[in-house]
């Protein structure tokens, strides 16, 4: 409550939570001793004695969030409220597991070296990976990275002796947007991570929906064309073969093309590039249509790399939804682009690490 509503008085905490004042007071004393909160004041009075206010001590420690994309690694150091202090970007040239693992370790080392001093130091590491992660943290399959059954989590834990949390990058992105981005005011959110592949993070009733084994959200592999283009998952006609960054680049027939170079061409009104974005936008819209009809969300957030091309993707996406999605489902439903841009996933896993740390302290 203090993290969410700070600054707040002891009396207000008692009132909102329904806990008695004695309980609140002893819990607050513990948190003060742990340096997780601090006092200031006195605050505004509504008549009587002016109350002392409690604040969350967001610099009691720091969290590390790492987004392992298909062609990049983005590492951030955040305070306990998810503000980014330091960020590092590395390109992945060779997606071989041991190479990427070394890059991740190197990234963590640099962040730890530059981390300010604090009571708890680094509280944990969150890893977001573009693949299927089981509940024990094993990456079962990351088709775009070429990984099968890799144990990244335990490897990193051994090196740094820190708690490590690993999560699918779309799930992490959904959580990041819910915590500190475009989704803060909504409880039923679909986050579309549109990068080299496509992943979907599902927030239902305010919580990340992970499925029975943690594998939910592989909607990049929903089939939108019968007998369509072959996909790296072994199937055909998958959504990401029509609407991803990978497909956008492939359709240019230019091995040198990058998303950034295409955005540049679109800015110059290059006709072919504009048509490509139009096609990708339409296909994004078709997939989103299927998802909206399934989940009836309040909000759809489009994030990850393709969100950079919002200027050209937004219209065809909206048009396709308007023309195809059941009209009941369009009521009170908003489509937005990510507020955290490329940081959704890294901030999401950092937030998981913080949540884990706070729960751990409160329980012990
Ligand atoms: Zn597929």
């Amino acid at each position: 409550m203090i993290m969410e509503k700070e600054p707040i008085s002891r009396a207000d905490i008692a009132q909102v939570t329904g806990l008695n004042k004695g309980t609140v007071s002893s819990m607050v004393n513990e948190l003060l001793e742990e340096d997780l909160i601090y006092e200031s004041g006195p605050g505004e009075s509504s008549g009587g004695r002016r109350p002392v206010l409690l604040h969350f001590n967001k610099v009691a420690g720091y969290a590390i969030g790492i987004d392992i994309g298909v062609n990049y690694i983005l590492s951030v150091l955040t305070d306990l409220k998810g503000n980014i202090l330091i960020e590092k970007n590395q390109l992945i040239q060779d997606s071989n597991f041991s190479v990427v693992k070394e890059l991740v370790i190197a990234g963590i080392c640099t962040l730890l070296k530059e981390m300010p001093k604090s009571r708890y130091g680094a509280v944990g590491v969150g890893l977001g990976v573009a693949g299927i992660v089981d509940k024990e943290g094993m990456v079962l399959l990351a088709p775009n990275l070429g990984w099968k059954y890799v144990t990244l989590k335990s490897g990193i834990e051994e090196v740094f002796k820190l708690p490590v949390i690993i999560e699918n990058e779309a799930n992490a992105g959904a959580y990041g947007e819910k915590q500190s981005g475009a989704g803060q005011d909504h409880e039923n959110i679909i986050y579309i991570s549109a990068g080299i592949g496509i992943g979907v993070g599902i927030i239902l009733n305010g919580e990340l929906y992970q499925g029975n084994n943690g594998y939910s959200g592989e909607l990049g592999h929903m089939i939108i064309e019968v007998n369509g283009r072959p996909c790296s998952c072994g199937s055909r006609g998958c959504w990401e073969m029509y609407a991803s960054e990978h497909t956008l680049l492939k359709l240019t027939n230019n091995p040198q093309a990058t998303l950034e170079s295409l955005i540049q061409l679109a800015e110059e009104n290059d006709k072919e590039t504009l048509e490509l974005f139009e096609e990708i936008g339409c296909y994004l819209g078709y997939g989103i249509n299927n998802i909206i009809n399934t989940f009836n969300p309040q909000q759809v957030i489009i994030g990850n790399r393709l969100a950079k091309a919002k200027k050209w993707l937004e219209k065809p996406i909206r048009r396709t939804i308007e023309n195809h999605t059941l009209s009941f489902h369009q009521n009170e439903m908003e489509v937005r682009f990510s507020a955290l841009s490329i940081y959704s996933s890294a901030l999401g896993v950092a937030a998981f690490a913080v949540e884990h740390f706070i729960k751990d302290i409160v329980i012990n």
Side-chain angles (χ1 to χ4, degrees):
M1 169 140 303
I2 296 169
M3 283 176 81
E4 267 179 33
K5 308 246 192 247
E6 62 162 339
I8 186 168
S9 67
R10 287 169 173 82
D12 286 344
I13 294 175
Q15 202 187 13
V16 178
T17 57
L19 295 168
N20 74 49
K21 284 186 182 169
T23 309
V24 170
S25 172
S26 74
M27 288 169 90
V28 162
N29 287 342
E30 273 179 47
L31 292 173
L32 284 167
E33 256 168 53
E34 310 269 16
D35 275 337
L36 283 173
I37 58 170
Y38 62 93
E39 295 179 303
S40 79
E44 296 276 319
S45 165
S46 51
R49 195 159 53 93
R50 291 197 290 171
V52 168
L53 294 175
L54 302 168
H55 301 255
F56 176 55
N57 181 14
K58 64 183 182 197
V59 293
Y62 297 92
I64 290 173
I66 299 184
D67 171 17
I68 305 170
V70 174
N71 47 4
Y72 66 89
I73 298 176
L74 170 65
S75 314
V76 300
L77 182 83
T78 74
D79 64 24
L80 299 180
K81 274 212 131 174
N83 300 299
I84 297 176
L85 276 82
I86 308 169
E87 69 168 277
K88 299 279 166 210
N89 290 285
Q90 294 158 289
L91 281 180
I92 297 181
Q93 255 123 22
D94 175 355
S95 68
N96 186 288
F97 175 64
S98 59
V99 176
V100 173
K101 186 177 158 189
E102 287 312 311
L103 283 176
V104 170
I105 290 173
I108 297 173
C109 282
T110 343
L111 293 179
L112 289 177
K113 246 182 243 159
E114 294 175 28
M115 179 176 68
K117 289 224 173 331
S118 64
R119 162 120 182 217
Y120 294 99
V123 302
V125 176
L127 303 170
V129 55
I132 301 173
V133 181
D134 75 6
K135 285 186 173 161
E136 276 69 54
M138 159 102 70
V139 181
L140 302 180
L141 178 70
N144 287 310
L145 285 157
W147 296 357
K148 247 182 191 177
Y149 301 109
V150 297
T151 50
L152 186 57
K153 174 182 146 84
S154 52
I156 304 293
E157 272 170 346
E158 274 161 32
V159 176
F160 295 100
K161 313 286 178 227
L162 285 171
V164 175
I165 285 164
I166 186 163
E167 186 54 80
N168 169 273
E169 63 85 29
N171 286 352
Y175 193 69
E177 290 290 337
K178 166 82 184 125
Q179 290 292 104
S180 48
Q184 289 177 67
D185 300 327
H186 296 296
E187 298 294 303
N188 294 300
I189 304 166
I190 301 295
Y191 172 78
I192 316 278
S193 170
I196 290 289
I198 300 179
V200 175
I202 302 160
I203 307 262
L204 298 178
N205 302 318
E207 293 200 11
L208 184 65
Y209 175 75
Q210 290 173 300
N212 190 33
N213 297 308
Y215 313 157
S216 70
E218 289 299 327
L219 289 157
H221 301 285
M222 76 171 139
I223 294 169
I224 63 162
E225 288 274 6
V226 173
N227 297 323
R229 297 172 188 155
C231 177
S232 62
C233 76
S235 183
R236 302 183 79 97
C238 297
W239 188 27
E240 68 177 39
M241 297 316 295
Y242 294 84
S244 63
E245 181 184 354
H246 171 79
T247 301
L248 173 75
L249 299 181
K250 212 171 163 199
L251 291 174
T252 63
N253 286 321
N254 171 5
Q256 255 84 54
T258 61
L259 177 60
E260 287 71 18
S261 71
L262 293 175
I263 287 175
Q264 184 58 42
L265 283 169
E267 286 290 3
E268 293 158 11
N269 284 321
D270 177 73
K271 193 165 161 279
E272 269 175 47
T273 310
L274 293 176
E275 283 169 7
L276 272 181
F277 277 125
E278 172 79 19
E279 181 181 335
I280 296 287
C282 282
Y283 273 112
L284 274 170
Y286 285 120
I288 293 170
N289 156 79
N290 296 351
I291 300 171
I292 295 172
N293 283 345
T294 309
F295 289 101
N296 176 216
Q298 283 168 298
Q299 188 186 40
V300 174
I301 303 171
I302 298 152
N304 204 342
R305 300 246 314 146
L306 281 185
K308 286 185 169 184
K310 173 185 175 186
K311 191 171 164 187
W312 303 280
L313 295 175
E314 188 168 14
K315 259 193 205 154
I317 290 175
R318 287 191 189 281
R319 195 179 57 237
T320 309
I321 293 170
E322 273 159 29
N323 291 343
H324 295 277
T325 304
L326 292 170
S327 61
F328 300 111
H329 290 63
Q330 295 189 40
N331 293 336
E332 296 162 34
M333 192 271 309
E334 67 169 38
V335 175
R336 283 197 51 180
F337 280 72
S338 152
L340 304 174
S341 101
I342 56 165
Y343 300 104
S344 320
S345 180
L347 285 175
V349 281
F352 280 133
V354 171
E355 197 183 274
H356 180 266
F357 161 72
I358 301 275
K359 272 190 187 153
D360 210 41
I361 285 207
V362 171
I363 289 164
N364 297 310

